[in-house]
Amino acid sequence: MEGQYSNPARIVSFNTGEGWSRDASEDITEALQQRCAVRGEVPPSLEAFLEIHGPGATVQLSLL
């Protein structure tokens, strides 16, 4: 996926067969943090995403 996306805000997984979707950002964040640790660097395009969805991140709900 390197270079295919920049500045992701959220990652959503879909299962159209079962009719559901869910925010998978925290799950993906864990995997990305492990990969970045192995590489020894965090790409600039992922820094904000990892800060927002990483451990200890607060969730802000939007007002309708």
Side-chain angles (χ1 to χ4, degrees):
M1 288 188 6
E2 188 170 335
Q4 294 180 13
Y5 303 95
S6 62
N7 301 318
R10 181 172 307 219
I11 299 172
V12 178
S13 60
F14 296 91
N15 185 327
T16 57
E18 294 182 13
W20 59 262
S21 64
R22 73 174 185 91
D23 185 344
S25 300
E26 288 184 27
D27 298 333
I28 299 299
T29 298
E30 290 179 28
L32 287 172
Q33 288 174 328
Q34 291 173 0
R35 289 182 184 209
C36 290
V38 169
R39 288 180 66 171
E41 66 176 341
V42 176
S45 60
L46 291 178
E47 288 176 354
F49 180 81
L50 295 177
E51 286 179 24
I52 292 168
H53 298 287
T58 58
V59 176
Q60 181 169 345
L61 302 175
S62 59
L63 299 174
L64 299 175

